[in-house]
Amino acid sequence: MKASPPSDVPERVNALRRLLRAVDGHLPEQRLAAARTVVDHAGERLRLSGEHCVVALAGATGSGKSSLFNALTRLQLSPVGVRRPTTGVAHACVWGPDNSGELLDWLGVPPSRRFRRESALDGDDERTLRGLILLDLPDFDSVEQSHRVEVDRLLSLVDLVVWVLDPQKYADRVVHTQYLAQFSEHRDVTVVVLNQADRLQPADVTRCVDDLKRLLVADGLDGVPVFATSAVERPGALPLRELLESTVAKRQAALLRIGGDVDGVVADLAPLFEPEAAEHTVDRETVETLTGALAAAGGVPVVADAARRAYTHRAVGAVGWPVSRWLRRLRPDPLRRLRLGDAKESDEKEPIAATSVPPAAPAERAAVGLALRALGERAGAGLPDPWPAVILAAARSRADDLPDALDTAIARADLGMDRRPLWWRLVGGLQWLVALAALVGLLWLAVRYVFFALGLPELPGPHVGRVPLATVLLVGGLVAGLLVSIVARPLIRFGARRAQARVQNRLRTAVKEVARDLVVAPVREVLHAYADARSALHTASGR
Ligand SMILES: Nc1nc2c(ncn2[C@@H]2O[C@H](COP(=O)(O)OP(=O)(O)OP(=O)(O)O)[C@@H](O)[C@H]2O)c(=O)[nH]1
Ligand SMILES: [Mg+2]
């Protein structure tokens, strides 16, 4: 097994952070504590600078930052001038791979001021500085006035800040109170050099360095490395270069150590994410079973049966014999009795009054409980602990909201019961017609009877054969009305069964929606978290 290179460490730490975000709230906190510690330690500095080791040359104008920068890069990259200040914007030189764009953007180094040392060209000479980003900053005074916050951020990011002082100004009170003492909290990453040491006699160099050390103690910077350098002659920039080399090496070592920490955490967490979760999604069959249980508990069969009876009720009211129609109207509509079935504006925001569908019976509630458990167990089957329990809990997480959600879904559903079929109207019209014929026959017969009773001469009237037309109308009308009712009956039964089936289907769809929202969605969320965390763990492992 090949160990992953230090350059991968930032990405691996990020992956670990992703993993923690994904499982947040799902796994017990103490199980994640080690991973959190590793991620917290790595911090923003690692995210940005990654495998790079950032060293900044800072100091007052004219101290020789650019000269040292050029001496260290062995190239004339940053202009050195007599006019002060010379360096207006930061310059950067990168040793090794050029993937520092984001970092240099953040540091505000313009693209035209970014340089690279190609180790291929330099052979092994520059290998020891591979990963170093050396920054030549503008003089600190000008930076500080406008960008104190930026400077603080920068100093919290860099691996080392080299304060460049010169023999003339090293004891300047302003230099100490304005710069050095201000940044004493960064003493762990601070080095001070007395540059331009070639301008002093060797004995004076030692004296000045000692003096400087004493002043630094007063600045709160006791213990920071202090030594003399020169950009042009003895003692040269070599001491500084060696310090940079050891910083780069330490940086690599730090990355390797973080990499090792990540390895440990990955090995610790791996058993939690053994199998892939893709095959453990919620399958259709389980959802159907749950939908069935919810439909029963929500009263779908009751409503569908009421719809069947309501159809019959309304159809008889529309096509029956006028007298039975009238009697029908005195009886309540079965659907309305449940406060259902009226056409609704499908305004989702409008609260819908609860229905009068009876609440679920204990057996139905138990069936829902079983279906929830079955769904949860199936979705979590084969996953390592504690995921099955987490998924089961997710399946049950909204169980208390189910009764209200089902009732609202049923109340909101369009049952399609408002339509009056054309045949109702035709047959209804026919019923009126034959009833009218019977009525005309009856009235005619009544008039004839009155004439007869008063002894008046018999009214002439058409006959059908030997039977008077009035009798034919009365009897024929009544018989025809009866016949129409008899013929309509199976049609009504058929229509009622269809209405029942339709309502059943529509309500099942509405109930399935509830199952998806309140049961499947929370389970899927956990499964996604598992899958996300698993893929993040793979990245974090660096393989
Ligand atoms: N003798 C000697 N002169 C130096 C040394 N370092 C820098 N100088 C001179 O000091 C002057 C300022 O040097 P720079 O490197 O431009 O100084 P800087 O700190 O970059 O200044 P700013 O960019 O203005 O902040 C130049 O004339 C350099 O030639 C050194 O070690 N010895
Ligand atoms: Mg400069």
Side-chain angles (χ1 to χ4, degrees):
M1 194 173 64
K2 200 169 118 342
S4 77
S7 57
D8 285 353
V9 168
E11 202 200 331
R12 295 176 58 205
V13 172
N14 274 340
L16 211 52
R17 189 177 288 120
R18 254 198 338 271
L19 181 150
L20 289 173
R21 255 202 309 270
V23 302
D24 194 33
H26 296 313
L27 293 182
E29 200 45 44
Q30 89 259 17
R31 192 73 183 78
L32 305 170
R36 276 203 206 287
T37 308
V38 168
V39 167
D40 289 350
H41 277 174
E44 183 196 33
R45 173 169 169 272
L46 188 53
R47 184 182 81 75
L48 277 171
S49 71
E51 74 265 44
H52 298 290
C53 173
V54 186
V55 174
L57 298 176
T61 184
S63 60
K65 299 179 295 294
S66 299
S67 305
L68 273 180
F69 181 82
N70 291 340
L72 291 165
T73 59
R74 300 179 183 164
L75 297 168
Q76 293 300 311
L77 298 178
S78 188
V80 172
V82 186
R83 202 164 50 87
R84 301 265 74 88
T86 304
T87 313
V89 286
H91 287 54
C93 182
V94 182
W95 276 258
D98 185 21
N99 50 359
S100 51
E102 193 193 349
L103 172 66
L104 293 176
D105 286 346
W106 187 85
L107 290 170
V109 180
S112 60
R113 301 287 185 269
R114 301 174 187 180
F115 308 98
R116 262 181 83 194
R117 294 269 356 194
E118 279 285 355
S119 23
L121 281 181
D122 297 316
D124 271 354
D125 286 0
E126 302 294 318
R127 193 177 46 80
T128 45
L129 290 181
R130 226 180 131 80
L132 173 68
I133 295 179
L134 186 64
L135 299 173
D136 175 21
L137 299 185
D139 69 278
F140 237 64
D141 204 17
S142 59
V143 174
E144 196 199 14
Q145 274 165 13
S146 50
H147 296 129
R148 172 64 211 251
V149 178
E150 275 302 293
V151 170
D152 253 337
R153 282 241 293 167
L154 187 141
L155 291 184
S156 68
L157 176 80
V158 298
D159 294 82
L160 197 68
V161 56
V162 179
W163 291 96
V164 182
L165 306 180
D166 61 74
Q168 273 139 48
K169 282 193 278 178
Y170 80 88
D172 212 354
R173 220 173 62 83
V174 176
V175 169
H176 288 268
T177 54
Q178 294 272 303
Y179 310 149
L180 292 159
Q182 295 288 319
F183 296 101
S184 60
E185 70 267 37
H186 298 294
R187 47 185 283 181
D188 292 346
V189 291
T190 300
V191 168
V192 180
V193 299
L194 182 68
N195 192 39
Q196 306 190 16
D198 58 285
R199 291 177 185 243
L200 298 170
Q201 295 302 319
D204 291 338
V205 173
T206 320
R207 199 176 48 76
C208 285
V209 167
D210 286 346
D211 194 29
L212 178 54
K213 280 181 180 161
R214 193 180 46 77
L215 292 169
L216 289 172
V217 171
D219 296 332
L221 288 170
D222 43 319
V224 305
V226 185
F227 49 87
T229 57
S230 164
V232 292
E233 275 180 45
R234 248 181 24 86
L238 192 62
L240 184 54
R241 191 183 164 95
E242 280 169 0
L243 188 105
L244 296 189
E245 283 172 358
S246 87
T247 308
V248 168
K250 264 194 280 187
R251 173 89 178 131
Q252 296 294 310
L255 281 177
L256 284 173
R257 204 206 60 230
I258 296 175
D261 291 348
V262 173
D263 283 343
V265 167
V266 165
D268 174 43
L269 294 180
L272 289 178
F273 303 95
E274 261 330 298
E276 216 166 330
E279 54 215 74
H280 298 289
T281 47
V282 187
D283 61 277
R284 186 185 288 248
E285 201 185 316
T286 327
V287 177
E288 287 301 329
T289 313
L290 174 67
T291 306
L294 288 176
V300 170
V302 175
V303 177
D305 188 60
R308 182 183 57 75
R309 285 181 290 116
Y311 183 95
T312 311
H313 177 82
R314 293 170 194 182
V316 171
V319 307
W321 202 54
V323 178
S324 57
R325 276 190 219 187
W326 179 74
L327 288 174
R328 265 282 158 186
R329 274 191 209 131
L330 297 180
R331 282 160 56 182
D333 183 293
L335 264 185
R336 294 221 170 89
R337 220 158 41 180
L338 295 176
R339 303 179 42 193
L340 277 170
D342 284 322
K344 292 174 203 85
E345 294 302 312
S346 60
D347 184 0
E348 296 275 318
K349 282 175 216 101
E350 192 82 356
I352 292 235
T355 69
S356 312
V357 178
E364 288 164 345
R365 278 206 300 274
V368 170
L370 283 180
L372 288 178
R373 166 181 275 273
L375 186 138
E377 282 179 349
R378 247 180 113 95
L383 295 186
D385 274 337
W387 289 103
V390 173
I391 289 171
L392 189 56
R396 290 167 167 166
S397 59
R398 310 272 319 261
D400 290 346
D401 299 335
L402 280 172
D404 278 351
L406 287 172
D407 202 54
T408 307
I410 287 172
R412 225 183 259 283
D414 173 15
L415 304 181
M417 290 292 289
D418 303 317
R419 214 164 37 87
R420 293 172 68 82
L422 183 63
W423 77 267
W424 285 12
R425 266 176 283 161
L426 291 178
V427 176
L430 189 64
Q431 282 286 31
W432 274 118
L433 223 59
V434 294
L436 202 67
L439 190 68
V440 168
L442 179 71
L443 287 177
W444 197 341
L445 283 178
V447 170
R448 283 179 60 143
Y449 176 76
V450 170
F451 270 60
F452 173 74
L454 295 177
L456 293 170
E458 193 179 335
L459 273 181
H463 280 66
V464 179
R466 292 185 49 217
V467 186
L469 181 62
T471 314
V472 173
L473 281 178
L474 174 62
V475 176
L478 289 177
V479 171
L482 194 67
L483 277 179
V484 169
S485 296
I486 291 172
V487 171
R489 220 174 276 162
L491 287 177
I492 292 175
R493 258 205 306 277
F494 174 72
R497 275 200 301 274
R498 273 192 19 168
Q500 182 179 18
R502 186 181 59 234
V503 166
Q504 178 107 23
N505 277 341
R506 290 188 179 190
L507 289 183
R508 212 182 146 92
T509 308
V511 167
K512 193 182 280 184
E513 202 62 35
V514 172
R516 287 196 189 292
D517 288 353
L518 266 58
V519 182
V520 179
V523 167
R524 285 241 161 89
E525 198 186 298
V526 178
L527 288 171
H528 279 151
Y530 178 88
D532 286 352
R534 192 171 184 277
S535 109
L537 187 77
H538 182 76
T539 311
S541 75
R543 315 249 145 73

